[in-house]
Amino acid sequence: QVQLVESGGGSVQAGGSLRLSCAASRTVGYIDTWAWFRQTPAKEREGVAAIITGNGRTAYADSVIGRFTISEDHANNIMYLEMKEIKAEDAAVYYCAADQLVRPTSTMLSNKGYDFWGQGTQVTVSS
């Protein structure tokens, strides 16, 4: 049973923009913490951005600050990642994750313990 579905990935030129979406099925219920992670074959899965539904508190990886923006549509249980000024090193499979706990900032970008995961969407960057 697929509970989180990502979309919006694809091929983009360096310097361009993409918007990723993650939609949660009704079976997921209320989400307190949303997050985006990414992974390449050479690296472990790393946290990119996360947001707390209730108060909008966010966390970002240093490498994406000022370029990526996470947001969520609480009414429709959808989360977004706006990616701008994309770099070659942003190429990866992007996964969304959701937790039914309000995470402290220190663990928002940890890939441990999230309740739900999407299947991933590929982002390819061309020069």
Side-chain angles (χ1 to χ4, degrees), residues 35-49:
W36 286 99
F37 292 82
R38 65 187 180 188
Q39 188 169 20
T40 67
K43 291 186 179 180
E44 293 185 356
R45 192 169 297 190
E46 65 170 348
V48 175

Side-chain angles (χ1 to χ4, degrees), residues 5 7 32 34 51 69 81-82 85 87 94 102 115 118 123:
V5 179
S7 61
D32 286 294
W34 287 98
I51 187 167
T69 303
L81 184 69
E82 196 78 39
E85 299 174 24
K87 303 177 180 180
Y94 283 73
V102 176
D115 294 320
V123 173

